Amino acid sequence: MKNRPKMKLIKLYILFIFSILSFNSVLSQDSLRRFSAEGEVKVVPLMSSFYSGFRFYNISTEANDSGLTLINKPTNFRPSLNLRLNVTNKSQSFYFGVGFKYAPVKNYWNKLQHPDSTSSIFITENIKTDYIGGTLRFLFDPIKDIKIIGGFTIGGGKLFGRSSEVQVTNPVPPIASPGNSKKIKYDINEPTTMDLGYQIELWDLYLNYTFQYLFNTGKNLTFYVGFEIPFLRLFFYNSQVKTGLELNNDSFFTSLQNFTPIVGDQSSGNKNLAYSLKKTHTSSLNFGIRYHFGNY
């Protein structure tokens, strides 16, 4: 009989422990469901490439019988990759995301200017750069019955020169392209390695409006499509600051002629890549998948 109070106490302890564990489990699930991870691909339409001769090029070479063929292929789109961790409030009406952003960025022109020459040199291998940055995203979902969310993305990062050398060749006439091919081909000898005399390096900061339409698939996955519209863009390079509305206008800096990179001229190289970077992270179509932790 004397052991009954102890048994009751033990049962109370066990019940208390189970209650705490159950509470923690519910709390953990409730906390986890506020977090999500997502991967997003941004596709930027290069507007001027659809209606003018000022294009972005994918530049490559291929072997032929006598040497190499240089191929300049116009491209109308540019991608970037975003990875992001989101946290939301309990009602799932507000999202705050912290992300990582990566994009390979190439020079705008397919030519290079040497200060001792009156003619341009064809680039057979692009200036190699990588853009690494981060984003803060604030999205709101005020109407639960409509699967749309919108808000703002603040982003920034640094453009790193991966190499200060490019492969170039002397100007040669293009090969006639069969049919309606947009590829421009040139037969060339072995390209020459040229040191630019500088390393590309610049910073940027931007503010975009973000819109997403959601497709719920399964218990924890959400696909979305959307777009971003830029509000403001800042570039920092060579002790200069360039700012303005980040629209798809071609006169963001100065005239188009000043975008040609010049050997030994750090400013022209950075300006060229800043313009290319502007085009890479401007108005975009976004495609992403979001994974929600816990019971969503």
Side-chain angles (χ1 to χ4, degrees), residues 165-205:
E165 294 182 343
V166 291
Q167 299 290 325
V168 298
T169 186
N170 291 323
V172 292
I175 306 170
S177 300
N180 296 321
S181 175
K182 294 183 179 180
K183 293 181 180 179
I184 305 173
K185 295 186 177 183
Y186 308 84
D187 279 337
I188 61 173
N189 295 321
E190 290 294 327
T192 302
T193 300
M194 180 172 291
D195 191 335
L196 295 175
Y198 53 81
Q199 189 85 1
I200 298 295
E201 183 176 303
L202 60 92
W203 295 82
D204 83 323
L205 182 67

Side-chain angles (χ1 to χ4, degrees), residues 13 32 62 64 107 154 168 173 177 179 192:
Y13 275 127
L32 279 176
E62 64 181 24
N64 58 36
N107 62 299
I154 302 171
V168 298
S177 300
T192 302

Side-chain angles (χ1 to χ4, degrees), residues 180-240:
N180 296 321
S181 175
K182 294 183 179 180
K183 293 181 180 179
I184 305 173
K185 295 186 177 183
Y186 308 84
D187 279 337
I188 61 173
N189 295 321
E190 290 294 327
T192 302
T193 300
M194 180 172 291
D195 191 335
L196 295 175
Y198 53 81
Q199 189 85 1
I200 298 295
E201 183 176 303
L202 60 92
W203 295 82
D204 83 323
L205 182 67
Y206 58 89
L207 172 65
N208 292 349
Y209 171 76
T210 304
F211 172 87
Q212 294 179 359
Y213 184 84
L214 311 177
F215 300 88
N216 291 328
T217 58
K219 189 176 181 180
N220 295 83
L221 288 179
T222 299
F223 289 94
Y224 64 85
V225 297
F227 58 83
E228 284 192 52
I229 299 176
F231 284 157
L232 186 65
R233 192 69 176 267
L234 298 173
F235 287 100
F236 307 89
Y237 59 86
N238 301 115
S239 300
Q240 301 179 48

Side-chain angles (χ1 to χ4, degrees), residues 105-109 111-113 123 127-129 159-161 163-164 166 196-202 235-238 240 253 257-277:
V105 182
K106 297 180 180 179
N107 62 299
Y108 177 70
W109 288 95
K111 296 179 181 179
L112 187 73
Q113 187 72 38
I123 298 176
I127 300 172
K128 297 179 181 179
T129 57
L159 185 69
F160 295 86
S163 173
S164 62
V166 291
L196 295 175
Y198 53 81
Q199 189 85 1
I200 298 295
E201 183 176 303
L202 60 92
F235 287 100
F236 307 89
Y237 59 86
N238 301 115
Q240 301 179 48
F253 295 106
Q257 288 81 352
N258 290 331
F259 297 139
T260 305
I262 303 174
V263 177
D265 187 344
Q266 176 82 46
S267 181
S268 69
N270 281 345
K271 182 181 293 186
N272 176 279
L273 269 293
Y275 186 74
S276 184
L277 180 63

